[in-house]
Amino acid sequence: MNPHWLAHLDAHIATGQVAAAAESAEILSWLLKLEPEQRWCLVLRRDPCLERLLAEDYRRLLILMVELESGAIAHAPEPPEPCVALDADDAPPPALPAPVPTAPAGWRLAPVSRLAAVFLLSLLGAAGGFWLMQQQEQRRLANLEQEARALLRTLESRDDIRAELNSAESQRQRQNLLAIAALGALGARLTDGRPFAAELAALRAVWSDAPELAAALAPLDALADQGLTPPALLIDRLTDLRERQETERAALLEQARLEALDLDRFYPRARTLVARRAAAAEALKLARRSDWRGAAHALDGIDDPDYRAWRAAAEQRAAAEATLNGLLDRIWSQWTAALATAPPANAGATDAMPAASPVAAPP
Amino acid sequence: MSSHTIWIMNGKGGVGKSVLTMVLAWLYEAMGRPLRPIDIDDKAKLAEFMGPENVLSLRIGASAEALRADPSLAYSYWDQLAAEILEQDTAVDLGANMDRHILEWASKSELGEILVESGVTMDIYVPVTADPLAVMGGIDVLERAGEIFPASRRILVLNRIAGHFNAYESTPEFDRIARMRAEGLIVVGMDGCLSEAWTDFERLKLPPQRILAMNAATVARQTGLGILAAKRAVGDYAAWLKQLQQSFAHLVPAKLG
């Protein structure tokens, strides 16, 4: 074989091994920043993030936990409480994938009634609607999405309900459930500011026989490769613009005070800066309430390239969120309309629902 | 200088024919014997991966109704296949359910004898996964191909992507394979690719050459992985290719002349 090809392969393999070691080091570093009981929780639940640890790093972690932190096992969060309550700064390193856990072994699931499915979907629908308003809902939605996928896999593994899932009626319901889970994943990406081409493709795959739904995703295609500017970054940028403006206004005032600036030039400029300050304050207030369209509109009168760029980014976010909210509303309507006309559940089937965690209402 | 042709076939879909064809095409090129890819598949999967300009796509050439009225319509269309095989080194990916038609055409046109007289060497690769239909379909194809192309080399590829084949020990299928092994059948294992980006690579229809040429940022962008995860995914993909190179390289005939 041409030695060049083998060398090429070996180079990729070596790069991959170095990356795997670096990734493992990042994960270990993140794990070591957690509390001991949080680490125990992740290990006991065989969290997928541990799969990327190299054997040596895993050994180091376990030695630490067993020899120094064994007492913390008693305080590890009980399922289904999350092991780690994260905000954006504490999230695992971006090198980590977003794994979907399999259903835990021995999870006993009685036949799921439509009432139970409505309950689960109401959790998803509520979280799906609230993610746009509350950044801290992002993590909860990700957990619900994972639970929905795990539930769907468990459902599909049961012979006695596979026939029900395979019926035309349940196929649509299954599609709707998958669509909501996929929309949740897409929403998380939009909030994080990460590329979301894969999530768009997943949604299109779910809606392969619903072209009108898939077509509604078209406005998001242009942004799929680079992602949206995250809300936190948008607010930071607007804050910076305001501060720059204040600095300029203060400098202008000082110049006028020292008579270094002609008053005929000072007053118009000062009026412009004061108007901008008011508009920027209004925009910042609206941006902090996640009203991106309102915030962009508040800056309409400002003819400044930096503000124009910010307005464009805010309008992109507003349009993307409106698209997602619209799709979520449609799927939710389809789901509830289908349930309203569905035949009743089998007699004698128990209504027991697995221990899914109810989502606390946002403040 | 005589040419060489490899055929990849199994009546059952989803056993990894197009993936195996892509990998063998890459391997042959790396070993200095590039193949002309030919796709006999109404879904044209190989053309999706390697680009329609690089693949000769041969369909049945007639509608289902016309074929029912006159089955020989398919055969004349495939005479182009015979011309290509005689002309140059080729890799032929037969779509699911095409093997029966192709083997019937090959039998009627006595292609086996033509190839022997022309000095064309032939390898028939039959990938199977560990499900009963795939194994049965693969064994049937191997036995039929052995009758039509007695001078060919037959290779059974055990694709372990859907599990191992332990359950087939001491079964009638195992006996049939053992009989063919006594007649020269070669059995090779093929593990599934463990790369995290495998599904994305398949979804994006990327052949090995393109994946290995992409930088980590491009892979990360296309798959949604982080940079480190993208590098690891490509490294795992390259490790899989190297494993396949070690499994299949000894089957690639040296170019004569």
Side-chain angles (χ1 to χ4, degrees):
Chain A
M1 183 164 182
N2 185 337
H4 160 76
W5 287 94
L6 279 177
H8 196 47
L9 283 180
D10 286 339
H12 276 293
I13 293 169
T15 303
Q17 287 170 341
V18 169
E23 203 179 16
S24 179
E26 274 195 17
I27 295 168
L28 182 62
S29 170
W30 175 72
L31 286 167
L32 291 175
K33 287 177 193 153
L34 300 177
E35 296 299 322
E37 53 272 17
Q38 290 173 320
R39 278 193 284 278
W40 274 111
C41 178
L42 290 170
V43 168
L44 291 172
R45 292 195 205 176
R46 292 180 289 176
D47 192 276
C49 76
L50 301 174
E51 288 173 11
R52 297 295 169 217
L53 281 176
L54 295 181
E56 188 55 40
D57 290 337
Y58 209 166
R59 194 175 304 122
R60 284 197 195 107
L61 179 72
L62 290 177
I63 288 172
L64 165 75
M65 291 168 64
V66 168
E67 294 196 357
L68 298 178
E69 299 173 350
S70 53
I73 191 175
H75 305 291
E78 291 283 340
E81 288 300 314
C83 291
V84 185
L86 296 176
D87 58 31
D89 293 332
D90 294 339
L96 296 178
V100 175
T102 54
W107 199 23
R108 299 179 60 182
L109 175 65
V112 177
S113 71
R114 280 176 171 72
L115 181 62
V118 169
F119 174 61
L120 176 65
L121 197 60
S122 66
L123 300 180
L124 289 173
F130 283 127
W131 76 266
L132 292 170
M133 296 160 59
Q134 304 276 349
Q135 285 186 16
Q136 61 268 31
E137 291 302 312
Q138 176 204 126
R139 179 67 184 172
R140 201 169 294 155
L141 181 64
N143 287 340
L144 283 174
E145 177 214 334
Q146 289 176 1
E147 284 182 22
R149 288 181 195 239
L151 176 61
L152 198 58
R153 287 200 177 116
T154 306
L155 288 172
E156 289 177 338
S157 69
R158 289 281 298 250
D159 287 338
D160 53 341
I161 51 177
R162 189 177 295 133
E164 181 179 329
L165 282 176
N166 285 341
S167 73
E169 180 66 26
S170 293
Q171 270 301 102
R172 280 197 290 279
Q173 297 298 68
R174 180 175 176 277
Q175 193 182 50
N176 288 336
L177 185 59
L178 280 174
I180 288 183
L183 282 168
L186 179 56
R189 286 285 194 176
L190 291 181
T191 302
D192 283 349
R194 287 183 286 170
F196 51 88
E199 283 72 20
L200 271 191
L203 262 175
R204 286 196 164 105
V206 170
W207 288 332
S208 56
D209 60 347
E212 75 287 358
L213 286 171
L217 296 171
L220 299 174
D221 283 335
L223 306 164
D225 284 339
Q226 73 263 26
L228 286 179
T229 310
L233 189 57
L234 277 175
I235 289 172
D236 282 348
R237 280 188 192 161
L238 190 55
T239 307
D240 287 346
L241 285 174
R242 272 194 69 205
E243 285 169 6
R244 192 193 70 184
Q245 199 134 294
E246 283 301 299
T247 306
E248 187 185 340
R249 194 188 67 82
L252 198 71
L253 193 60
E254 185 67 11
Q255 282 182 318
R257 195 178 67 78
L258 295 174
E259 296 177 355
L261 182 65
D262 188 353
L263 289 179
D264 286 342
R265 289 174 58 200
F266 163 73
Y267 280 118
R269 185 69 186 148
R271 267 198 294 275
T272 302
L273 289 175
V274 166
R276 280 193 190 178
R277 182 173 64 173
E282 177 65 13
L284 195 57
K285 187 174 74 176
L286 292 169
R288 286 189 174 127
R289 292 209 302 250
S290 299
D291 181 5
W292 302 106
R293 206 173 291 285
H297 182 63
L299 300 174
D300 271 350
I302 300 183
D303 186 20
D304 178 281
D306 290 339
Y307 277 103
R308 277 201 297 274
W310 192 94
R311 210 162 48 230
E315 280 167 350
Q316 276 179 350
R317 172 155 286 283
E321 289 177 353
T323 300
L324 240 67
N325 255 347
L327 286 168
L328 206 54
D329 286 345
R330 278 177 76 171
I331 300 301
W332 171 247
S333 301
Q334 284 177 10
W335 174 274
T336 50
L339 284 176
T341 57
N346 290 337
T350 60
D351 245 353
M353 181 69 185
S357 59
V359 176
Chain B
M1 185 185 60
S2 58
S3 58
H4 178 69
T5 184
I6 65 172
W7 287 23
I8 299 93
M9 51 202 298
N10 188 333
K12 172 82 171 50
V15 295
K17 289 190 293 297
S18 296
V19 168
L20 181 61
T21 308
M22 246 191 352
V23 168
L24 288 172
W26 167 81
L27 184 61
Y28 268 73
E29 186 180 336
M31 294 183 73
R33 192 155 189 179
L35 300 169
R36 166 82 158 122
I38 299 175
D39 201 349
I40 303 187
D41 185 356
D42 280 347
K43 293 198 185 89
K45 276 180 73 175
L46 196 64
E48 281 187 342
F49 275 94
M50 302 176 81
E53 68 283 0
N54 298 322
V55 177
L56 173 63
S57 285
L58 297 177
R59 305 246 195 322
I60 291 267
S63 66
E65 291 77 17
L67 271 181
R68 272 194 286 272
D70 182 5
S72 68
L73 279 176
Y75 302 157
S76 59
Y77 196 76
W78 288 331
D79 287 345
Q80 186 184 358
L81 172 65
E84 293 282 337
I85 289 171
L86 293 170
E87 179 78 16
Q88 58 190 311
D89 292 347
T90 48
V92 184
D93 180 15
L94 278 73
N97 298 320
M98 295 302 293
D99 55 309
R100 190 168 43 87
H101 301 292
I102 280 284
L103 289 176
E104 213 173 297
W105 162 76
S107 172
K108 284 197 158 78
S109 51
E110 297 176 346
L111 184 63
E113 288 169 24
I114 295 172
L115 294 183
V116 169
E117 284 164 14
S118 308
V120 176
T121 53
M122 182 181 198
D123 286 341
I124 298 176
Y125 284 82
V126 177
V128 298
T129 50
D131 87 84
L133 286 177
V135 170
M136 291 295 297
I139 292 174
D140 288 342
V141 158
L142 281 168
E143 287 174 344
R144 183 85 176 109
E147 292 164 10
I148 298 170
F149 301 103
S152 68
R153 191 170 56 168
R154 292 172 294 163
I155 299 139
L156 174 64
V157 180
L158 302 179
N159 186 353
R160 293 188 272 259
I161 195 165
H164 286 260
F165 291 81
N166 301 340
Y168 289 94
E169 287 177 18
S170 308
T171 58
E173 290 78 27
F174 183 84
D175 291 338
R176 289 167 74 185
I177 291 171
R179 268 197 298 278
M180 285 192 280
R181 283 189 90 161
E183 295 162 4
L185 174 72
I186 298 169
V187 180
V188 182
M190 182 168 95
D191 286 319
C193 180
L194 297 178
S195 171
E196 195 181 339
W198 170 253
T199 312
D200 292 295
F201 292 155
E202 273 210 306
R203 173 179 58 83
L204 295 166
K205 305 284 189 282
L206 296 173
Q209 298 88 330
R210 277 197 60 195
I211 293 168
L212 295 177
M214 290 200 294
N215 61 29
T218 307
V219 174
R221 199 169 51 247
Q222 302 239 6
T223 61
L225 294 173
I227 289 286
L228 289 180
K231 288 183 181 177
R232 176 173 42 76
V234 175
D236 289 341
Y237 183 81
W240 175 71
L241 282 179
K242 189 166 181 185
Q243 203 177 40
L244 292 179
Q245 181 266 330
Q246 287 161 353
S247 298
F248 290 97
H250 69 284
L251 298 171
V252 176
K255 199 161 187 151
L256 299 174

